[in-house]
């Protein structure tokens, strides 16, 4: 890290805000403790933006957007390549931070960095594909065309579970489309935001194209939403917060994309390869301690194979390694939020009081929650409907494939869904009838690539991220006409 990015006080780094290409402390002198979830210790502190810093970031972004939006596409491609090179050089540093700050296990942290590299390559390719079209006109001698132009200032509000991946995905597509970007990182992972600013600064990204302002969510978010210079907000996080942002965006006529929560179902039909289905289901719910919006926290299995699947799944779950996230063999590390353990206990307690059975787990040591499997979960239970955001899965028996589909769709969410079957007729039928923005056949519910239309329906999202879909969201269409010769006017 650039030594100017922090002050070292009493042995702790105090990370600064990144505004207009420079590092600065907060005028309000507010600091946030950054906690290592594996041991509960403070490993750093981050300055929190006040009104002055938020306003300066918006002004800086507004100035930079005008210049950056006029740059050649080749220059944007080159800049994205430089950012990628810096990330490659600093991979180990980023990986260690993701382990320390958000409890990512060794492999997940590395995968997150590799995804960002892939995302940058995809965004660089999409720079040249922001295209309009020509169209026939009724007016004699007139040519019509549409062009896409950058929006200007984009505000991004990022989550804590995959802070590097989900923030950088927003950043690189915004700057690829010719916009400037203001990042408000999660209050749980603000150091990751500082590192992203430092990476882009080292690559030579012009001042103001990226500003990073950690702070109190309501204060930063509301001010960004109210300022007319901010043309769009892109958000990943809870449905409750996403709904609030949608209302505020509508009040101020801003564009917005929302990627919110999920209660994603995985359906296993009776003709499936059971061993494969067990492996897919386990990976799809226990990756990153279940702190993934796409996690298949409901696994719905046809009754003919339910008991066999259940017994094999429980055995698989009991063999998953829990412990130190720095150990490459560890699968389950600590939850990022200490209070999440209490929340999970509440879900499990409610379920068991209403008749569900714990097959394994339901205990935790500090922030580390043991992978947990429930049977007998019904619609009367909170866990049937609510996102647990932890390593907990509900196994549900279905009478037949139609009953399985009914249970899968019985949710207010609609992010991701999956079905495992060797019957391609049913696979295609399920893919069309499952109420989700993304459906995966013969896979778990966790899947993402930089160029796909990632997003959900119902309470899971609005708009899409990735590839040309991001480029369309992050630009606006303008209609242009050219009159050849003189137009005849009626008066």
């Amino acid at each position: 890290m650039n030594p100017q990015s922090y002050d070292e006080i009493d042995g702790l780094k105090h990370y600064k805000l990144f505004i207009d290409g420079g590092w600065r402390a907060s005028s309000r002198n507010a600091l946030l403790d950054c906690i290592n979830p594996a041991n509960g210790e403070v490993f750093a502190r981050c300055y929190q933006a006040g009104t002055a810093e938020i306003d300066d970031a918006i002004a800086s972004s507004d100035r930079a957007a005008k210049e950056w939006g006029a740059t050649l596409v080749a220059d944007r491609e080159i800049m994205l390549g430089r950012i990628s090179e810096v990330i490659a050089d600093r991979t180990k540093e980023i990986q260690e931070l993701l382990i320390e700050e958000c409890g990512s296990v060794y492999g997940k942290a590395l995968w997150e960095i590799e995804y960002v590299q892939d995302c940058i390559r995809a965004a660089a390719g999409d720079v040249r594909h922001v295209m309009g079209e020509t169209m026939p006109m009724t007016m004699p001698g007139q040519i019509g065309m549409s062009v896409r132009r950058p929006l200007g200032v984009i505000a991004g509000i990022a989550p804590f579970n995959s802070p590097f991946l989900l923030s950088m995905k927003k950043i690189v597509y915004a700057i690829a489309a010719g916009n400037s970007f203001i990042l408000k990182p999660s209050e749980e992972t603000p150091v990751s935001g500082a590192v992203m600013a430092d990476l882009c600064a080292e690559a030579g990204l012009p001042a103001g194209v990226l500003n990073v302002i950690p702070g109190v969510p309501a204060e930063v978010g509301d001010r960004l939403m109210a300022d007319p210079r901010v043309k769009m907000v892109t958000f990943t996080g809870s449905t409750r917060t996403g709904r609030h942002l949608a209302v505020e965006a509508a009040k101020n006529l801003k564009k917005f994309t929302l990627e919110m929560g999920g209660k994603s179902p995985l359906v296993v039909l009776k003709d499936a390869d059971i061993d494969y289905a067990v492996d897919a289901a386990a990976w799809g719910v226990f990756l990153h301690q279940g702190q993934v919006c796409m996690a298949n926290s409901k696994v719905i299995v046809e009754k003919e194979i339910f008991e066999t699947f259940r017994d094999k799944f429980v055995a698989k779950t009991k063999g998953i390694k829990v412990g130190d996230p720095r150990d490459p063999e560890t699968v389950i590390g600590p939850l990022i939020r200490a209070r999440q353990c209490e929340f999970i206990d509440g879900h499990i307690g409610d379920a068991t009081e209403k008749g569900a059975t714990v097959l394994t787990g339901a205990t935790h040591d500090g922030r580390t929650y043991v992978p947990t499997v429930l049977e007998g979960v019904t619609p009367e239970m909170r866990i049937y409907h609510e996102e647990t955001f932890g390593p907990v899965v509900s196994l549900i028996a279905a009478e037949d494939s139609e009953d399985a589909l009914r249970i899968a769709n019985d949710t207010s969410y609609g992010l991701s869904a999956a079905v495992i079957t060797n019957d391609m007729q049913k696979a295609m039928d399920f893919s069309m009838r499952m109420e989700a923005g993304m459906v995966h056949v013969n896979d778990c519910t966790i899947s993402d690539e930089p160029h796909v239309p990632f997003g959900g329906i119902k309470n899971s999202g609005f708009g899409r991220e990735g590839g040309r879909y991001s480029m369309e969201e992050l630009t606006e269409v303008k209609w242009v006409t050219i009159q050849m010769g003189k137009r005849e006017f009626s008066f």
Side-chain angles (χ1 to χ4, degrees), residues 174-187:
I175 64 177
N179 301 291
S180 61
F181 196 87
I182 302 173
L183 174 65
K184 191 280 174 198
S186 167
E187 61 272 28

Side-chain angles (χ1 to χ4, degrees), residues 17-23 56-65 68 79 83 87 152-158 164 167-175 178-185 192-214:
L17 314 172
F18 186 73
I19 299 173
D20 202 23
W23 299 96
D56 286 350
I58 295 171
S60 167
S61 292
D62 188 47
R63 289 193 303 270
W68 183 249
M79 180 53 63
I83 295 172
I87 292 171
V153 180
I154 311 294
I157 301 174
F164 190 64
S167 297
M168 286 298 290
K169 187 176 185 180
K170 296 178 188 298
I171 291 167
V172 298
Y173 272 109
I175 64 177
N179 301 291
S180 61
F181 196 87
I182 302 173
L183 174 65
K184 191 280 174 198
S192 294
V195 169
M196 284 179 268
D198 191 49
L199 294 169
C200 292
E202 184 178 335
L205 189 67
V209 177
L210 173 64
N211 289 291
V212 178
I213 49 171

Side-chain angles (χ1 to χ4, degrees), residues 141-293:
Q142 195 170 91
I143 298 172
M145 71 180 82
S146 64
V147 295
R148 283 194 169 272
R149 300 294 300 156
L151 290 172
V153 180
I154 311 294
I157 301 174
F160 60 78
N161 55 340
S162 292
F164 190 64
L165 186 162
L166 294 172
S167 297
M168 286 298 290
K169 187 176 185 180
K170 296 178 188 298
I171 291 167
V172 298
Y173 272 109
I175 64 177
N179 301 291
S180 61
F181 196 87
I182 302 173
L183 174 65
K184 191 280 174 198
S186 167
E187 61 272 28
E188 308 286 349
T189 54
V191 179
S192 294
V195 169
M196 284 179 268
D198 191 49
L199 294 169
C200 292
E202 184 178 335
L205 189 67
V209 177
L210 173 64
N211 289 291
V212 178
I213 49 171
V216 178
E219 293 179 11
V220 178
D222 288 353
R223 201 157 188 91
L224 291 173
M225 298 303 295
D227 196 298
R229 291 170 293 182
V230 178
K231 303 301 182 184
M232 176 181 173
V233 61
T234 172
F235 167 80
T236 301
S238 72
T239 298
R240 179 181 58 83
T241 302
R243 283 178 171 274
H244 169 74
L245 291 174
V247 171
E248 294 304 309
K251 288 179 183 178
N252 295 282
L253 297 180
K254 294 186 194 297
K255 290 186 72 174
F256 61 90
T257 58
L258 307 173
E259 198 275 282
M260 303 184 290
K263 194 70 181 176
S264 299
L266 167 61
V267 173
V268 181
L269 297 184
K270 61 186 178 183
D271 68 323
D273 180 324
I274 296 178
D275 290 332
Y276 173 78
V278 166
D279 289 344
W283 196 89
V285 73
F286 297 134
L287 177 69
H288 195 36
Q289 296 76 264
Q291 298 169 119
V292 181
C293 54

Side-chain angles (χ1 to χ4, degrees), residues 38 102-108 282-292 316-336 341 344 363-365 367-372 390-393:
C102 62
S104 293
V105 297
Y106 185 95
K108 183 265 182 185
W283 196 89
V285 73
F286 297 134
L287 177 69
H288 195 36
Q289 296 76 264
Q291 298 169 119
V292 181
K316 169 98 176 177
T317 301
K318 289 180 177 179
I320 289 174
K321 184 169 182 178
V322 180
D324 182 359
R326 295 186 183 279
D327 183 345
E329 300 300 317
T330 296
V331 174
I332 299 290
L335 295 168
I336 300 171
C341 290
I344 295 170
T363 61
H364 62 90
D365 179 10
R367 298 190 188 200
T368 302
Y369 213 99
V370 174
T372 300
V392 182
V393 62

Side-chain angles (χ1 to χ4, degrees), residues 7-42:
D7 297 322
E8 189 152 347
I9 304 172
D10 297 329
L12 282 180
K13 292 179 179 178
H14 291 53
Y15 287 92
K16 300 177 183 178
L17 314 172
F18 186 73
I19 299 173
D20 202 23
W23 299 96
R24 56 193 275 193
S26 169
S27 58
R28 64 190 292 184
N29 203 31
L31 288 163
L32 177 73
D33 286 348
C34 304
I35 309 295
N36 181 330
N39 56 28
E41 296 178 359
V42 176

Side-chain angles (χ1 to χ4, degrees), residues 117-139:
Q117 296 278 55
D118 197 23
C119 187
I120 292 172
R121 289 191 292 270
D126 281 314
V127 167
R128 294 180 186 266
H129 293 93
V130 183
M131 296 181 179
E133 59 185 352
T134 59
M135 56 201 73
M137 308 302 295
T138 302
M139 185 63 61

